[in-house]
Amino acid sequence: MSTLQHQHILLAVTGGIAAYKALELARLLVQAGAKVTPLLTKAAQKFVTPLSLQTLSGSAVLSDLFADAEELEIGHIRIARSADLVLTAPATAQALSRAALGLATDYLGTLYLATRAPLIFAPAMNQAMWLHPATQDHLATLKQRGAIIWGPEEGNLACGEEGPGRLLAPAEILRRLEAYFTARSSLKGIRCLITAGPTQEPIDAVRYISNHSSGKMGYALAEALSEAGAEVILLHGPTSAPPPEGVTRYLTPSALEMLAQAKRLAPRCQVIIGAAAVADFSVKNAAAGKLKKINLTHLELRPNPDIIAELGQAKQKGQLVIGFAAETERLIEEATRKRKEKNLDWVVANQVNQVGGVFGAEENQITLVQAHGAEEWPRFNKKELARRLVKRIANHIQAKQKGEA
Ligand code: CTP
């Protein structure tokens, strides 16, 4: 049975020559058991008729032409809430920019804003339009927000030019959708604990010791774990990163608070990830009031507990415990040492002085250190990197379950 069975897909067709391929895509989706709600923009109707799309998808076509003002307002909210996925294929440069900029100028634009469903775009356009910095900027914005972009392919374009701009074949889009929905349930029944962000160790009522962590990597991981169907418990320090959807969160401002919650919750979890940049020291006798600066020239520090090391040492059979390593020198050596000393299964090693930076950056390049060796990964957007790490986790758990069966 296809993993698309009973999935509600909103198929948005935007106005390019490749729009005719959306008819075949709609047919394939319906054949695979998906419920398809098609949407045709005004421009797309110059290339395909609502009637053909309606016939192939088995559902009435949403479009601005047939919607009065009231339907525009209510309809997009209702549809936006009920879809499991919004797939835009083909996605024109205009559709990408509308989604990136949040321009609610038509039905599709309002829908992009109203939906909480994941967005997948399969772009198709002239190669110069694709390569234009404006389009590339919009793509980067969409990726940062977690959107998935499939294609375009290189080849002969309808305009007679050659280059990247061809819509992926409908069969290829279908194959990717099936893999996507498989991944969405790959961690069903698995409970994960993840620490993220910095901790703040108070000095007095107004000052603290902390670090540059933005929490973005840990949050992206929490979100990707949840997208894969896992139950996710997130312990995080103070951060301004937007909170991930669908996870249980506990704010644990200091290392000791994070440790207490982690020890309480870890025994119930199958996967434990330490992505937090825990401050290494806290201040002995932190003051309840504000200290005078004259008294701040010497602080008495005490080492904080190593949270992931404690969880690693207490590891139960079947638990997968993953730590991070932030290094500026001897990356692999240090990550390997931390893996052994903290009794971790994997370490995600981060060269924090890499080109483009890590702290607060949208991208990250890691090396995955496991018992059998180190594997250098390319630099990815943090959301994409998180999805890839989660895929590894799911594969690992599935392989173990098969081995034990
Ligand atoms: N970590 C932790 N508790 C601490 C310090 C670190 O749980 N008190 C975890 C981090 O979440 C990360 C891993 O340990 O998963 C490695 O953190 P890192 O800052 O790279 O290294 P440290 O072990 O603190 O060592 P050092 O600062 O000397 O490199």
Side-chain angles (χ1 to χ4, degrees):
M1 192 174 75
S2 167
T3 52
L4 284 166
Q5 192 86 34
H6 306 308
Q7 300 290 353
H8 180 191
I9 297 179
L10 196 139
L11 174 63
V13 182
T14 65
I17 186 71
Y20 77 92
K21 292 188 189 167
L23 296 175
E24 169 70 354
L25 181 58
R27 196 184 62 80
L28 291 174
L29 291 172
V30 170
Q31 220 170 48
K35 171 177 173 352
V36 179
T37 301
L39 186 153
L40 268 181
T41 60
K42 224 172 178 175
Q45 290 174 40
K46 300 225 161 68
F47 296 93
V48 292
T49 67
L51 186 61
S52 4
L53 195 57
Q54 179 171 315
T55 311
L56 288 167
S57 65
S59 290
V61 173
L62 305 172
S63 85
D64 294 325
L65 282 189
F66 305 122
D68 57 24
E70 190 190 8
E71 166 55 15
L72 258 179
E73 283 310 307
I74 299 165
H76 76 264
I77 300 284
R78 183 175 48 79
I79 297 291
R81 293 284 186 269
S82 65
D84 294 304
L85 179 80
V86 177
L87 168 66
T88 308
T92 57
Q94 154 86 309
L96 295 174
S97 59
R98 245 176 311 161
L101 297 171
L103 300 179
T105 45
D106 65 352
Y107 204 129
L108 184 58
T110 50
L111 195 128
Y112 285 144
L113 287 179
T115 191
R116 291 203 194 100
L119 301 180
I120 298 184
F121 295 88
M125 66 195 75
N126 166 273
Q127 54 89 23
M129 290 170 77
W130 171 253
L131 295 172
H132 195 283
T135 308
Q136 293 300 316
D137 283 354
H138 293 322
L139 276 170
T141 304
L142 291 170
K143 283 186 194 168
Q144 265 165 38
R145 294 193 199 129
I148 297 173
I149 316 291
W150 286 342
E153 273 182 339
E154 299 241 354
N156 293 326
L157 306 177
C159 53
E161 293 180 14
E162 231 181 88
R166 283 171 64 87
L167 180 71
L168 289 185
E172 173 61 14
I173 296 178
L174 185 83
R175 192 191 64 73
R176 291 189 187 204
L177 280 173
E178 291 197 317
Y180 173 82
F181 281 108
T182 305
R184 280 222 335 207
S185 59
S186 59
L187 287 177
K188 224 177 183 152
I190 300 290
R191 199 179 290 127
C192 306
L193 177 70
I194 174 157
T195 69
T199 65
Q200 285 180 357
E201 310 301 330
I203 298 172
D204 63 11
V206 296
R207 304 174 178 98
Y208 57 81
I209 299 176
S210 192
N211 55 61
H212 290 305
S213 168
S214 65
K216 280 183 190 163
M217 190 65 240
Y219 277 28
L221 268 168
E223 200 162 69
L225 288 164
S226 166
E227 274 171 16
E231 183 188 332
V232 183
I233 307 171
L234 170 66
L235 307 182
H236 65 94
T239 156
S240 58
E245 296 254 335
V247 309
T248 307
R249 294 191 293 133
Y250 295 93
L251 172 65
T252 52
S254 69
L256 286 179
E257 287 163 294
M258 193 177 267
L259 176 72
Q261 289 283 25
K263 279 168 80 168
R264 183 176 74 82
L265 295 160
R268 296 186 233 155
C269 297
Q270 290 84 33
V271 177
I272 298 169
I273 306 177
V278 183
D280 295 304
F281 294 91
S282 54
V283 180
K284 242 181 172 177
N285 307 323
K290 186 187 173 211
L291 293 172
K292 286 288 139 194
K293 60 185 172 224
I294 190 83
N295 298 323
L296 279 171
T297 49
H298 286 94
L299 291 175
E300 208 179 326
L301 300 178
R302 65 171 169 216
N304 271 336
D306 191 313
I307 299 168
I308 201 70
E310 292 211 17
L311 302 181
Q313 305 306 345
K315 195 197 298 174
Q316 296 166 2
K317 193 171 177 283
Q319 269 184 340
L320 176 69
V321 185
I322 304 171
F324 274 66
E327 312 293 341
T328 52
E329 284 151 38
R330 300 195 311 279
L331 178 73
I332 312 285
E333 245 174 282
E334 281 304 297
T336 306
R337 177 183 66 77
K338 286 177 186 175
R339 198 189 77 78
K340 285 190 191 136
E341 283 180 7
K342 302 188 190 197
N343 197 31
L344 305 174
D345 296 292
W346 305 351
V347 167
V348 179
N350 248 322
Q351 185 85 33
V352 287
N353 52 347
Q354 62 187 259
V355 179
V358 172
F359 290 120
E362 295 303 336
E363 294 185 335
N364 190 6
Q365 190 271 315
I366 62 118
T367 300
L368 185 61
V369 177
Q370 295 172 287
H372 58 265
E375 190 186 314
E376 197 177 326
W377 288 20
R379 192 169 158 94
F380 288 117
N381 170 282
K382 283 181 180 172
K383 297 218 171 180
E384 179 58 25
L385 173 59
R387 282 195 200 109
R388 286 173 188 249
L389 280 168
V390 167
K391 197 166 177 195
R392 276 300 176 90
I393 293 171
N395 288 347
H396 172 87
I397 290 176
Q398 275 154 17
K400 263 190 132 179
Q401 282 169 347
K402 269 190 201 146
E404 277 163 18

